[in-house]
Amino acid sequence: MAARGALLRYLRVNVNPTIQNRRERALPFTAILRRFSEEVRGSFLDKSEVTDRVLSVVKNFQKVDPSKVSPKSHFQNDLGLDSLDTVEVVMALEEEFGFEIPDTDADKIHSINLAVDFIASHPQAK
Amino acid sequence: MRTSIMSQMQRSFSIELPKLVPLQLPSRMETHLWYVIPDEVKSTSLLKQYSQLLSPPENDKVLQMRGDKLQKNALLARTLVRTTIARYQTNNGVDPRTLMFKKNMYGKPEVDWQNYKNCSDPPLHFNISHTDSLVACGVTLHVPVGIDLEDKDRKIKHDVLTLAERFYSTDEVTFLSTIPDPEVQRKEFIKLWTLKEAYVKALGKGFSAAPFNTFTIQFKAGTNGGYNLCKEETKKCNRDWKFGLLELADSHYAAVCIEDDQARAPMRVIVRKTIPFVEDELISESKFL
């Protein structure tokens, strides 16, 4: 399995969009470093790891009651987050995973599940 | 101006509701802004009455919310919409329970008038917004309306300029970055948020139809003041949409946006606080250029 993964990573051709100015500014330093790491680019993250990291990002929000947060939590209905809160969550997830979530996709992320699905299916997530 | 309505006895098997005091329709270029303060609605029997107004799917949605506070606010929001719209109907005694709602093709809620065969009443438009501590509904005649509320004191987790750079237009970022006091900057960010959100909601085509960074809402002070709506790409500005920004209940910013109907007249906003079936209170009347 590991050999297959390593082989795929070696063979895979990366087609990354050019880094835009404003995105660079928004990324933390460690994410920029990792961006240049060949092995890291182009691989998908493990879903349970993504779930853990998303849960901890959301639990970190002052407004959120950590005891209410579960993988199924809906931002609005379960956690009482409004549109501005959701935007802050999306931004915190971008910082955690080191890639920019397009607005049209961000608009559809209404729950932890949807965030996890989106991030786990994105090769640029770190 | 305070009107009190005696809340009638609610027998558990009775389907009779207390009477709703009728309302005069909004005039042209006028928005009626109604709000409820959830903390002021304490009576469990009153809340029970409210839940009897809702349709079964609405009630299900309320019950799906996790936590008493969220449920109460959701209940109050639906109650506010149903009772307020019912009160504007000129044919007396429209039962708020009979109102039907639908969503437009982008998901914006609106009244479904098919129920009323001889409905000669011109179409009312409405939009709701709520926070943890306030529920509001804006109503207009003929023109689409969008409203948004935000708690004035809400904390912004990220650096305000970082958030603005990510989500707002370049001119708005410039405007915010010229504000030296971080507290004033935070407040202006929030005010802009409510205005932008109100516009997208008035437009009714979903967030993707008008991403926040594709337009600027710019305030012009002075006698010919008011807000301009400018496209980021072309930098062209117009007054096709009217904006108003107010403070509600000393705790919230409220933005109202309506489509200008070519009148190019100021928008009037009449604010009233209410507890459905119990009382109304006129709070303010403002004019926005």
Side-chain angles (χ1 to χ4, degrees):
Chain A
M1 236 10 240
R4 179 176 175 273
L7 185 66
L8 277 176
R9 276 194 293 272
Y10 177 75
L11 291 173
R12 195 168 277 154
V13 176
N14 287 309
V15 185
N16 279 327
T18 43
I19 297 163
Q20 285 153 5
N21 245 348
R22 74 173 188 181
R23 234 202 292 170
E24 287 281 38
R25 246 186 289 135
L27 289 177
F29 186 60
T30 46
I32 297 169
L33 279 183
R34 291 179 75 189
R35 191 177 277 278
F36 297 116
S37 162
E38 280 298 312
E39 308 97 271
V40 177
R41 268 200 298 183
S43 56
F44 294 87
L45 291 174
D46 168 59
K47 204 162 186 181
S48 63
E49 181 202 331
V50 173
T51 306
D52 287 342
R53 288 166 69 187
V54 171
L55 285 173
S56 80
V57 163
V58 175
K59 281 182 187 172
N60 221 4
F61 266 74
Q62 205 182 28
K63 196 175 170 181
V64 171
D65 177 359
S67 66
K68 281 191 179 177
V69 181
S70 81
K72 292 206 181 86
S73 297
H74 186 276
F75 293 150
Q76 198 187 14
N77 297 345
D78 296 331
L79 306 177
L81 300 180
D82 64 18
S83 54
L84 182 47
D85 294 318
T86 306
V87 151
E88 293 229 74
V89 168
V90 166
M91 193 136 171
L93 292 174
E94 288 180 334
E95 287 164 356
E96 170 66 22
F97 292 97
F99 77 110
E100 190 169 291
I101 301 174
D103 287 349
T104 40
D105 295 303
D107 195 28
K108 301 189 184 86
I109 296 178
H110 299 148
S111 67
I112 305 259
N113 265 338
L114 291 171
V116 170
D117 286 345
F118 182 79
I119 293 167
S121 64
H122 237 266
Q124 293 189 307
K126 294 170 184 42
Chain B
M1 175 172 67
R2 196 178 263 270
T3 353
S4 267
I5 308 158
M6 284 291 286
S7 169
Q8 289 171 11
M9 289 264 280
Q10 186 68 19
R11 288 163 294 177
S12 55
F13 52 85
S14 160
I15 51 163
E16 249 194 77
L17 290 173
K19 275 203 86 175
L20 285 171
V21 174
L23 293 169
Q24 216 178 11
L25 290 167
S27 321
R28 199 178 177 191
M29 291 303 286
E30 190 173 89
T31 303
H32 290 181
L33 187 59
W34 295 85
Y35 71 88
V36 179
I37 298 179
D39 284 346
E40 289 183 358
V41 184
K42 297 196 223 287
S43 156
T44 40
S45 60
L46 187 58
L47 289 169
K48 189 147 185 257
Q49 242 179 316
Y50 291 164
S51 62
Q52 283 160 3
L53 293 177
L54 273 52
S55 66
E58 280 173 344
N59 258 321
D60 287 341
K61 239 188 142 201
V62 166
L63 294 172
Q64 257 172 42
M65 312 282 276
R66 293 260 312 261
D68 290 337
K69 203 171 180 194
L70 286 184
Q71 282 192 10
K72 184 179 175 185
N73 291 1
L75 172 61
L76 289 173
R78 291 316 303 165
T79 302
L80 183 60
V81 173
R82 282 185 173 271
T83 52
T84 307
I85 304 270
R87 292 172 69 180
Y88 285 110
Q89 303 319 302
T90 49
N91 40 317
N92 267 324
V94 165
D95 190 325
R97 292 171 292 192
T98 62
L99 286 171
M100 293 197 344
F101 296 88
K102 61 181 180 181
K103 291 196 171 157
N104 77 1
M105 62 187 265
Y106 305 97
K108 182 179 183 183
E110 41 187 54
V111 183
D112 188 348
W113 297 107
Q114 59 158 313
N115 220 15
Y116 300 89
K117 287 176 198 104
N118 50 339
C119 179
S120 52
D121 288 319
L124 280 181
H125 292 254
F126 75 91
N127 195 235
I128 325 176
S129 179
H130 56 99
T131 64
D132 280 350
S133 52
L134 198 65
V135 175
C137 178
V139 182
T140 51
L141 204 57
H142 293 304
V143 288
V145 59
I147 71 165
D148 191 52
L149 304 175
E150 283 298 340
D151 184 330
K152 283 198 302 186
D153 291 331
R154 75 169 291 152
K155 303 269 177 291
I156 308 275
K157 188 179 152 89
H158 293 89
D159 169 58
V160 165
L161 280 182
T162 308
L163 258 187
E165 279 165 6
R166 172 74 178 77
F167 292 103
Y168 285 9
S169 71
T170 47
D171 289 339
E172 286 166 343
V173 173
T174 306
F175 162 67
L176 288 171
S177 60
T178 59
I179 301 171
D181 185 322
E183 181 50 19
V184 176
Q185 199 187 58
R186 183 192 64 85
K187 286 202 158 101
E188 290 302 316
F189 176 89
I190 295 174
K191 286 183 192 173
L192 254 183
W193 180 274
T194 59
L195 286 163
K196 292 168 85 73
E197 187 82 354
Y199 168 61
V200 172
K201 290 174 80 181
L203 207 49
K205 294 190 181 140
F207 189 76
S208 356
F212 274 19
N213 60 7
T214 61
F215 65 92
T216 295
I217 298 178
Q218 147 199 104
F219 179 68
K220 296 271 172 221
T223 43
N224 288 325
Y227 292 92
N228 279 337
L229 178 68
C230 309
K231 287 244 179 302
E232 171 79 343
E233 220 176 23
T234 59
K235 303 290 183 197
K236 286 221 173 103
C237 301
N238 64 52
R239 292 288 182 114
D240 291 346
W241 297 84
K242 278 276 190 308
F243 293 90
L245 188 65
L246 318 106
E247 285 194 27
L248 285 190
D250 224 14
S251 55
H252 284 73
Y253 291 127
V256 178
C257 175
I258 68 174
E259 190 168 15
D260 189 289
D261 67 353
Q262 306 304 310
R264 299 293 188 231
M267 166 176 66
R268 266 185 318 280
V269 179
I270 299 175
V271 182
R272 292 195 197 91
K273 184 169 92 152
T274 183
I275 298 179
F277 296 124
V278 179
E279 63 184 30
D280 294 339
E281 187 187 337
L282 176 67
I283 302 290
S284 65
E285 290 189 38
S286 325
K287 222 158 63 162
F288 295 95
L289 297 168

